[in-house]
Amino acid sequence: MRLELGNIYIKDVQFGNETKVENGVLYVNKEELISILSEDEHLKSIDVELARPGESVRIMPVKDVIEPRVKVEGKGGIFPGILSKVETVGSGRTNVLKGAAVVTTGKIVGFQEGIIDMTGPGAEYTPFSKLNNVVLVCEPVDGLKQHEHEKAVRMAGLKAAEYLGKAAKNVQPDDVETYEFLPLLKSIEKYPELPKVAYVLMLQSQGLLHDTYVYGVDAKQILPTLISPTELMDGAIISGNCVSACDKNTTYHHLNNPIIRDLYNKHGKELNFVGVIITNENVYLADKERSSNWTAKLAEYLGVDGVIISQEGFGNPDTDLIMNCKKIEQKGIKTVIVTDEYAGRDGASQSLADADPLANAVVTGGNANEVIELPPMDKVIGHIEPANKIAGGFDGSLKEDGSIVVELQAITGATNELGFNKLTAKGY
């Protein structure tokens, strides 16, 4: 599979009479966008705000972040199985509004949603403070159940990203990145001397607002399987969960998975990147055993020399992480796990809920329990009141002057397991 990403660099976002991209500026017709999104009967109201890097703006509680993209050439459309037909994506040409994002907020869906500060100390911990954000403030109708509320906000974000992406369909990209993924046997034949490496991507799928979707299918319903990395870049996997903000792989993370990009950069030079194994994170022990068995079996089937494993979430999924690591290691395949830690505010507690001596190569995103003080902002988009009850917050987190004292886990993308924010990453 060969995918071209046409990057159109967005330096500013403004409201305008027409949604278009011109001279690096994304112009948004606010009324038209609201009209499109207001078709959902589950949402009582929708407003659109803008948040740019360096502005004194706080966005909370954040549900998801999505990068606008549009399919220009090749099969399928963006977000297949959800907004477009269930066609295999990952080839052809896709244009990307690089430097822009859709952020969804409004009344809190689940207590584990997060914060994005566009300036100040909090901005240093989230990659999304560097983006020109189109923020959707989605307020549900009265009495809406949580899972219906989550779906309504999720769909609003995806539709907005699709709407903005279409503005770039006929725009000449500033540059084009090409990612080619060869069939396994041809890849091995091309790079016979290089170590073969696969990536195991663990998807949050515990239910109760902890869901991820693969071509529109809830990941709880899948068995571990192989997927081309270019499929992720083309929107095959989207976030539908409300796990702790620092643990969440937003849709933006899936589209821009940094582990995949790093492996591509080393592909054909230091290693042979042979593919991605996606697996789920389960609640029941039997399901954990089944998925970890299949994951290890696929790694063995590929004949790889090494595997990188990343997880999403913490606590219960730590067991899935260690089971995957242990079983793959037992097949003679070296592993590296990528995770964050919950080591207590003093850093002295056990970092993971599970462990094994075979997990001897670890990359950490840092301690999510570390406390940070976020100063007041001139403007809050969404609702600031949930600061006292979101994961990482506590009674008294929100101060009278609008400042917030929270653990890093409350900041969207702060210690993400994908290593997305390298400000806090260190390796062992």
Side-chain angles (χ1 to χ4, degrees), residues 52 242 394:
R52 306 171 185 85
C242 299
F394 46 87

Side-chain angles (χ1 to χ4, degrees), residues 267-322:
H267 177 62
K269 303 168 187 174
E270 300 177 32
L271 53 84
N272 184 0
F273 179 27
V274 300
V276 178
I277 301 169
I278 57 172
T279 184
N280 47 22
E281 299 173 354
N282 299 287
V283 176
Y284 297 108
L285 180 59
D287 296 325
K288 292 177 184 291
E289 294 283 10
R290 181 185 300 109
S291 289
S292 55
N293 286 342
W294 275 65
T295 300
K297 178 183 70 174
L298 286 171
E300 182 181 37
Y301 175 74
L302 289 174
V304 295
D305 302 295
V307 165
I308 296 174
I309 311 171
S310 68
Q311 73 162 329
E312 182 176 13
F314 70 98
N316 189 295
D318 291 350
T319 299
D320 302 80
L321 174 68
I322 297 302

Side-chain angles (χ1 to χ4, degrees), residues 341-373:
E341 305 177 56
Y342 283 80
R345 294 182 181 180
D346 60 359
S349 299
Q350 180 175 322
S351 298
L352 299 176
D354 201 356
D356 191 274
L358 291 175
N360 55 15
V362 181
V363 175
T364 173
N367 181 18
N369 293 135
E370 183 178 337
V371 176
I372 184 172
E373 182 171 354

Side-chain angles (χ1 to χ4, degrees), residues 177-249:
E177 297 175 299
T178 301
Y179 297 91
E180 188 167 12
F181 190 71
L182 295 174
L184 178 63
L185 293 181
K186 289 185 178 180
S187 179
I188 294 173
E189 182 181 327
K190 187 172 182 179
Y191 305 110
E193 304 301 321
L194 294 178
K196 299 178 290 296
V197 176
Y199 171 36
V200 173
L201 172 59
M202 294 172 54
L203 304 175
Q204 179 58 250
S205 58
Q206 294 175 286
L208 298 177
L209 305 182
H210 289 52
D211 303 301
T212 304
Y213 297 88
V214 182
Y215 283 95
V217 176
D218 191 325
K220 286 195 297 295
Q221 302 175 25
I222 72 167
L223 285 168
T225 189
L226 298 173
I227 191 170
S228 167
T230 60
E231 291 176 79
L232 276 87
M233 296 177 177
D234 230 5
I237 298 179
I238 64 103
S239 172
N241 67 63
C242 299
V243 300
S244 288
C246 72
D247 292 292
K248 178 189 296 189
N249 293 336

Side-chain angles (χ1 to χ4, degrees), residues 92-263:
R93 166 76 69 85
T94 296
N95 278 356
V96 182
L97 293 184
K98 188 60 65 178
V102 172
V103 178
T104 51
T105 187
K107 183 180 178 181
I108 194 165
V109 181
F111 73 94
Q112 292 182 300
E113 293 167 56
I115 301 169
I116 296 175
D117 278 359
M118 299 303 293
T119 191
E124 296 301 316
Y125 288 95
T126 172
F128 306 124
S129 65
K130 318 301 188 294
L131 303 178
N132 294 284
N133 295 311
V134 178
V135 186
L136 309 183
V137 185
C138 304
E139 304 296 357
V141 297
D142 296 337
L144 189 65
K145 294 182 178 179
Q146 274 188 301
H147 68 279
E148 293 175 331
H149 184 187
E150 185 280 320
K151 181 179 180 180
V153 178
R154 171 172 22 110
M155 294 303 296
L158 297 174
K159 289 177 181 177
E162 179 189 46
Y163 167 80
L164 296 176
K166 287 179 178 178
K169 187 164 189 177
N170 298 315
V171 177
Q172 184 66 30
D174 296 301
D175 62 49
V176 177
E177 297 175 299
T178 301
Y179 297 91
E180 188 167 12
F181 190 71
L182 295 174
L184 178 63
L185 293 181
K186 289 185 178 180
S187 179
I188 294 173
E189 182 181 327
K190 187 172 182 179
Y191 305 110
E193 304 301 321
L194 294 178
K196 299 178 290 296
V197 176
Y199 171 36
V200 173
L201 172 59
M202 294 172 54
L203 304 175
Q204 179 58 250
S205 58
Q206 294 175 286
L208 298 177
L209 305 182
H210 289 52
D211 303 301
T212 304
Y213 297 88
V214 182
Y215 283 95
V217 176
D218 191 325
K220 286 195 297 295
Q221 302 175 25
I222 72 167
L223 285 168
T225 189
L226 298 173
I227 191 170
S228 167
T230 60
E231 291 176 79
L232 276 87
M233 296 177 177
D234 230 5
I237 298 179
I238 64 103
S239 172
N241 67 63
C242 299
V243 300
S244 288
C246 72
D247 292 292
K248 178 189 296 189
N249 293 336
T250 66
T251 300
Y252 189 100
H253 286 96
H254 289 302
L255 290 166
N256 296 279
N257 187 304
I259 292 177
I260 286 177
R261 288 186 177 252
D262 284 353
L263 286 170

Side-chain angles (χ1 to χ4, degrees), residues 13-16 18-19 26-30 33 134 163-164:
V13 60
Q14 301 178 19
F15 288 125
E18 177 186 358
T19 296
L26 172 60
Y27 294 93
V28 182
N29 185 322
K30 179 177 180 177
L33 177 55
V134 178
Y163 167 80
L164 296 176

